[in-house]
């Protein structure tokens, strides 16, 4: 097991990573301050991992809420089901919510914890690779609104994150690849050594080798933790974590939500960012080639879907939430491991990049 810390003063917390962590009372209990504990999970995860998680929480007044599975349930109605359960069981301000699941469950349970009785304790037990390397770390919580994704939310840090690598065994290959995209992202934005490690070890990761997974998850969390510690509320460098996301959101929206997984869209988006960076003269062709190869080995798509025109793509990018008054700003690369947020790119080169990146 590896343990690292997100350094946020009084709100600092540990991230434990390794096999067999579900149900480790010794890791869970230091993060719990009252007697009442509510596990929030979904219909897919409950039959797989609920019993093991409950085993680590015996001795508490333990309740469970099992929600339907899917991004379409990350909304205020579902959030209310968590509040209903908390109130029915008379949970007090010293209660603890435990999120057992992927990013959807983490965001829902985290927002419930942020707002129930003005904030209660919260533990993340992420069970997807994406949640283990991204959504469970950093304290962003929230739900979707019919008019926008993640539009209602709060910053609320967990007391502890427990990433059990054994849970990744039941994840399907596409979900695994989607998590790998966010892992590759950390290498690209600020950790060239990690990128080189990924080039050597990608086959072990896709084969779900435990030691390789622990290393990659820990290194990813370390990178995210450093960025979050420096910029908890995303006023500056935290925006670098959005590499590939403006392009990716255009694909997710253009294809209809759920057609491409978020991580898949981000994978292609990162390659587009690299290709535009190369056209700007900031990255050489060999570096773009390395990025494309690594994404391909991770099982990620690298072309824009044929049914999306460049015009549609540009329109969708311009409504992305990272647009500022000064125009479209993008996270681009000045090298592998060196991302920048910039509005200083040539729109003609952006168009040329999109034209060249279509499938078929
Ligand atoms: N808060 C943040 O900083 C942050 C960052 C990135 C993403 N997110 C959010 O996270 C969500 C995406 O997270 P996700 O990719 O984990 O999706 P998800 O939570 O929908 O999980 C993907 C699917 O895998 C299933 N699943 C989960 N664990 C499993 C396991 N161990 N074995 C088998 N199946 C399992 C889930 O039930 C679901 O069907 C989005 O809502 C996104 O907005 C939040
Ligand atoms: Zn992402």
């Amino acid at each position: 097991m590896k343990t690292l810390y997100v350094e946020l003063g009084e709100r600092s917390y540990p991230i434990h990573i390794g096999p067999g962590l579900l149900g480790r009372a010794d890791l869970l209990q230091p993060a719990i301050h009252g007697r009442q504990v509510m596990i929030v999970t979904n219909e897919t995860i409950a039959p797989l991992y609920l019993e093991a998680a409950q085993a680590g929480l015996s001795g508490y007044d333990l309740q469970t809420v099992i929600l339907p599975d899917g991004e379409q349930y990350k909304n205020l109605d579902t959030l209310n089901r968590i509040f209903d359960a908390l109130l029915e069981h008379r949970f007090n301000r010293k209660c603890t919510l435990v999120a057992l699941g992927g990013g959807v469950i983490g965001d829902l349970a985290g927002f419930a914890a942020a707002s129930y009785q003005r904030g209660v304790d919260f533990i993340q037990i992420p069970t997807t690779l994406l949640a283990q390397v991204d959504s469970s770390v950093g304290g962003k919580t929230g739900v979707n609104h019919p008019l926008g994704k993640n539009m209602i939310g709060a910053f609320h840090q967990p007391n502890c994150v427990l990433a059990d690598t054994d849970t990744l065994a039941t994840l399907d290959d596409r979900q695994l690849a989607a998590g790998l995209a966010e892992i590759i992202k950390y290498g690209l934005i600020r950790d060239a050594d990690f990128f080189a490690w990924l080039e050597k070890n990608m086959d072990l990761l896709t084969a779900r080798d435990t030691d390789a997974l622990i290393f990659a998850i820990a290194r990813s969390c370390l990178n995210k933790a450093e960025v979050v510690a420096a910029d908890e509320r995303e006023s500056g460098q935290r925006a670098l974590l959005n590499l590939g996301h403006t392009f990716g959101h255009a694909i997710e929206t253009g294809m209809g939500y759920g057609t491409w997984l978020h991580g898949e869209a981000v994978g292609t988006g990162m390659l587009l960012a690299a290709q535009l960076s190369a056209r700007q003269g900031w990255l050489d062709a060999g570096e773009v080639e390395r990025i494309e190869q690594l994404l391909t080995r991770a099982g990620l798509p690298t072309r824009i879907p044929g049914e999306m025109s460049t015009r549609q793509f540009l329109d969708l990018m311009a409504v992305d939430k990272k647009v500022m008054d000064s125009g479209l700003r993008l996270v681009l690369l000045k090298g592998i491991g060196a991302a920048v947020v910039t509005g200083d790119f040539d729109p003609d080169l952006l168009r040329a990049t999109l034209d060249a990146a279509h499938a078929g």
Side-chain angles (χ1 to χ4, degrees):
M1 179 180 86
K2 267 195 164 68
T3 299
L4 50 112
Y5 292 85
V6 183
E7 303 288 353
L8 290 167
E10 281 180 1
R11 283 170 294 110
S12 297
Y13 56 92
I15 305 172
H16 305 292
I17 303 154
L21 302 191
L22 270 185
R24 279 277 298 271
D26 58 320
L27 302 178
L28 288 165
Q29 287 172 3
I32 299 173
H33 300 107
R35 302 306 311 159
Q36 298 171 314
V37 179
M38 171 102 41
I39 299 178
V40 179
T41 188
N42 75 24
E43 285 163 349
T44 306
I45 298 148
L48 295 168
Y49 303 114
L50 181 57
E51 221 177 80
Q54 284 169 334
L57 295 164
S58 63
Y60 291 97
D61 171 2
L62 184 61
Q63 303 292 337
T64 302
V65 196
I66 300 176
L67 302 172
D69 184 6
E71 178 79 30
Q72 70 271 32
Y73 297 106
K74 196 175 114 175
N75 59 29
L76 288 170
D77 288 339
T78 310
L79 186 72
N80 226 356
R81 291 185 48 179
I82 304 175
F83 294 140
D84 288 346
L86 289 165
L87 287 162
E88 276 162 20
H89 295 290
R90 299 175 184 281
F91 268 41
N92 62 36
R93 289 175 60 187
K94 285 178 75 184
C95 73
T96 300
L97 267 64
V98 178
L100 174 68
V104 167
I105 289 295
D107 281 9
L108 271 164
F111 188 39
S115 44
Y116 185 65
Q117 308 231 0
R118 298 187 188 80
V120 297
D121 287 336
F122 170 46
I123 293 172
Q124 289 265 25
I125 308 185
T127 61
T128 64
L129 186 57
L130 183 127
Q132 293 186 354
V133 300
D134 189 357
S135 60
S136 67
V137 179
K140 282 193 191 176
T141 72
V143 298
N144 302 327
H145 184 276
L147 298 180
K149 208 172 170 288
N150 295 326
M151 282 295 134
I152 319 283
F155 283 97
H156 191 60
Q157 301 293 344
N159 293 15
C160 153
V161 180
L162 227 145
D164 185 336
T165 49
D166 287 343
T167 62
L168 302 176
T170 50
L171 210 57
D172 72 42
D173 287 341
R174 276 184 76 191
Q175 297 284 356
L176 188 84
L180 290 171
E182 302 282 0
I183 288 176
I184 293 169
K185 180 185 79 180
Y186 296 112
L188 283 174
I189 60 175
R190 67 196 301 277
D191 193 347
D193 290 344
F194 184 35
F195 188 88
W197 182 92
L198 289 168
E199 291 181 303
K200 282 205 194 74
N201 295 284
M202 185 50 76
D203 299 342
L204 287 173
L205 290 174
T206 52
R208 303 180 198 219
D209 175 84
T210 301
D211 290 337
L213 283 169
I214 292 174
F215 180 87
I217 294 164
R219 186 75 167 234
S220 298
C221 289
L222 186 69
N223 273 295
K224 181 151 185 188
E226 283 176 5
V227 172
V228 169
D231 179 16
E232 188 180 0
R233 291 183 174 245
E234 192 163 337
S235 49
Q237 70 151 292
R238 191 162 176 169
L240 296 177
L241 297 172
N242 294 325
L243 174 67
H245 281 60
T246 301
F247 293 101
H249 290 156
I251 297 177
E252 285 183 273
T253 314
M255 294 302 287
Y257 274 103
T259 312
W260 280 46
L261 296 179
H262 171 75
E264 293 173 328
V266 167
T268 298
M270 292 191 297
L271 183 61
L272 292 167
Q275 289 164 338
L276 174 55
S277 305
R279 284 177 191 266
Q280 291 283 133
W282 299 342
L283 212 59
D284 64 45
E287 289 170 309
V288 178
E289 180 62 33
R290 281 173 66 192
I291 296 168
E292 180 161 4
Q293 278 198 10
L294 190 59
L295 293 167
T296 303
R297 285 171 62 207
L300 291 159
T302 55
R303 314 296 289 177
I304 295 175
E307 48 270 67
M308 280 184 75
S309 69
T310 295
R311 182 70 259 153
Q312 183 194 9
F313 208 105
L314 286 168
D315 286 345
L316 288 166
M317 283 178 81
V319 300
D320 182 87
K321 68 180 172 191
K322 276 158 296 287
V323 176
M324 304 196 180
D325 294 342
S326 51
L328 180 62
R329 291 171 68 81
L330 289 171
V331 186
L332 296 176
L333 296 170
K334 296 234 163 158
I336 287 176
V340 291
V341 182
T342 178
D344 179 26
F345 58 87
D346 181 344
D348 289 336
L349 295 181
L350 171 59
R351 216 167 282 118
T353 300
L354 295 172
D355 282 340
H358 277 91

